């Protein structure tokens, strides 16, 4: 039995951030990270297309929490203790310069996740944090004031334990044995699979500002929409997938969406089209894209409205005008499944939030058991928000574990 002061289960973003902060705050502590895989920080490596989207340029806690479909209320207090500005400061003090992109995402200036990985590995080594690989946890038991952890390679004991295993069903099962409730895990960030003549053959086309609703629900979102080989993606869709994670899972990812490509009401759109019929009478509808829509998308919607490639504006009848207004403002698409968004494996589900003290990130049920990251039932939309949750939880847990 190997005895340690602190054992961290999970060698990902939250686990390393916690370990480094604990070690810096209390150098006397003997800290070990147990990682089940053959390498650490794998999710950090692939995040942001290999650039590592460290956090997001939102500096007001009340605004930041709006990006978390689950965990928004619980994170408000913690974000007053450690959030975006603190994250930037933390990395820059350790030699990692960050940059803010136009959409608010924050990356290392090197545009390489390896920079973040090197920072963590270097800080862990410098502070004497031990990292053990291929340590799959088989059992966790509590004996008096001590936690005993059995892995496929040996046994460990510790007074303080931090669970930072992300969406790991086996660990969730072990936590249930400790009296914790696990909210049923379902995928969160995903794209919509759609086969439809109107978007076939135009992958890569972006409608820059759309509104999307899931029919028969209150779910809606806005933002850019990307047409892909499989259907639709980009922020407008990803926000819907995150905030609708539970509802869309119930529907087995088969549902209908309504897209307003121009974010103008039907009646207003129809009036504009009637004006265009007068002003562009001799022009061919198919050839001149309107409403700042990409040309290829405009052409698909024109054909779907019952016109051909030679129809002139002057020749449009009432039905065709109404059809076009419908396609532009309330086009309905059948979603038939989902796909993972890049390598963003995000899950809604995890340890029930009522069972955690968010002033310390300690279990309310088990003393000296702490949590950080996606092991909790907290998830966010894409853009660096999931990492910010990891940094905040790990930092606050570290403050308490080190004391």
């Amino acid at each position: 039995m190997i005895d340690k002061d602190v054992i961290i289960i999970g060698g990902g973003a939250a686990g390393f951030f916690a370990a480094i902060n604990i070690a810096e705050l209390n150098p006397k502590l003997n800290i070990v990270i147990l990682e089940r895989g053959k390498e650490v920080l794998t999710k950090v490596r692939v995040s942001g297309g290999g650039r590592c989207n460290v956090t997001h340029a939102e500096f007001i806690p009340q605004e930041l929490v709006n990006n978390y479909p689950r965990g928004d209320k619980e994170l408000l207090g913690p974000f007053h203790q450690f959030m975006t500005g603190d994250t930037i400061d933390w990395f820059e003090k350790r030699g990692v310069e960050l940059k803010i992109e136009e959409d608010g995402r924050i990356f290392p200036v090197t545009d390489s996740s390896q920079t973040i990985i090197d920072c963590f590995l270097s800080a862990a080594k410098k502070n004497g944090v031990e990292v053990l690989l291929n340590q799959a946890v088989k059992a966790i038991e509590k004996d008096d004031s001590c936690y005993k952890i059995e892995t496929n390679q040996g046994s460990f004991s510790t007074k303080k334990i931090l669970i930072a295993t992300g969406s790991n069903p086996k660990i969730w099962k072990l936590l249930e044995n400790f009296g914790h409730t696990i909210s049923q895990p379902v995928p969160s960030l995903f794209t919509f699979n759609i086969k439809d003549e109107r978007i076939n053959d135009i992958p890569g086309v972006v409608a820059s500002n759309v509104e999307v609703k899931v029919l028969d629900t209150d779910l809606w979102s806005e933002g850019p929409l990307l047409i892909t080989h499989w259907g639709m993606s980009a922020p407008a869709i990803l926000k819907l997938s995150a905030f609708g994670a539970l509802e869309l899972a119930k529907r087995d990812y088969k549902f209908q969406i309504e897209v307003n490509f121009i974010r103008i009401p039907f009646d207003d759109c129809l009036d504009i089209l009637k004006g265009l019929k007068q002003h562009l009478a001799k022009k061919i509808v198919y050839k001149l894209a309107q409403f700042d829509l990409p040309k290829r998308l405009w052409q698909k919607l024109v054909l779907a409205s019952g016109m051909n490639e030679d129809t002139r504006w002057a020749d449009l009848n009432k039905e065709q005008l109404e059809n076009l207004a419908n396609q532009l403002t309330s086009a309905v698409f059948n979603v038939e499944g989902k796909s993972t968004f890049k390598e963003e494996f995000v899950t809604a589900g995890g340890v029930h939030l009522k069972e955690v003290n968010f002033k310390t990130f300690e279990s309310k049920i088990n003393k000296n058991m702490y949590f950080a990251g996606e092991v909790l039932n907290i998830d966010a939309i894409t853009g660096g928000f999931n990492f910010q949750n990891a940094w905040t939880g790990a930092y606050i847990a570290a403050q308490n574990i080190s004391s």
Side-chain angles (χ1 to χ4, degrees), residues 39 62 87-88 175 187 204 237 262 267:
E39 58 180 307
Q62 289 84 348
T87 299
I88 294 168
L175 291 172
I237 298 299
I262 57 176
D267 289 339

Side-chain angles (χ1 to χ4, degrees), residues 135-163:
Q135 297 277 348
V137 173
K138 302 291 186 190
I140 305 172
E141 292 173 2
K142 195 175 184 188
D143 181 13
D144 297 327
S145 61
C146 208
Y147 288 97
K148 291 181 179 174
I149 298 132
E150 187 189 324
T151 76
N152 58 332
Q153 298 211 37
S155 299
F156 301 81
S157 69
T158 185
K159 285 196 168 68
K160 295 183 179 181
I161 184 171
L162 182 137
I163 317 282

Side-chain angles (χ1 to χ4, degrees), residues 194-201 300 304 327 332-334:
I194 300 168
K195 287 181 180 170
D196 192 291
E197 192 60 40
R198 290 166 293 178
I199 60 170
N200 282 356
D201 313 320
K300 287 278 191 177
Q327 290 295 336
V332 175
F333 294 88
N334 293 317

Side-chain angles (χ1 to χ4, degrees), residues 164-180:
T165 46
S167 306
N168 184 331
K170 288 179 182 172
I171 298 297
W172 281 333
K173 195 76 188 158
L174 295 179
L175 291 172
E176 282 183 323
N177 298 336
F178 273 86
H180 276 289

Side-chain angles (χ1 to χ4, degrees), residues 327-384:
Q327 290 295 336
L328 291 165
T329 64
S330 50
V332 175
F333 294 88
N334 293 317
V335 177
E336 296 284 342
K338 61 174 177 55
S339 295
T340 303
F341 171 63
K342 296 182 180 173
E343 281 87 11
E344 304 278 355
F345 306 112
V346 176
T347 302
V351 175
H352 203 291
L353 304 184
K354 286 193 170 71
E355 299 167 1
V356 179
N357 176 356
F358 281 92
K359 289 180 179 171
T360 60
F361 281 76
E362 184 180 15
S363 165
K364 289 180 180 176
I365 299 169
N366 302 288
K367 191 169 169 54
N368 290 324
M369 176 183 279
Y370 295 81
F371 303 104
E374 274 190 65
V375 68
L376 296 167
N377 185 23
I378 295 176
D379 63 288
I381 63 172
T382 184

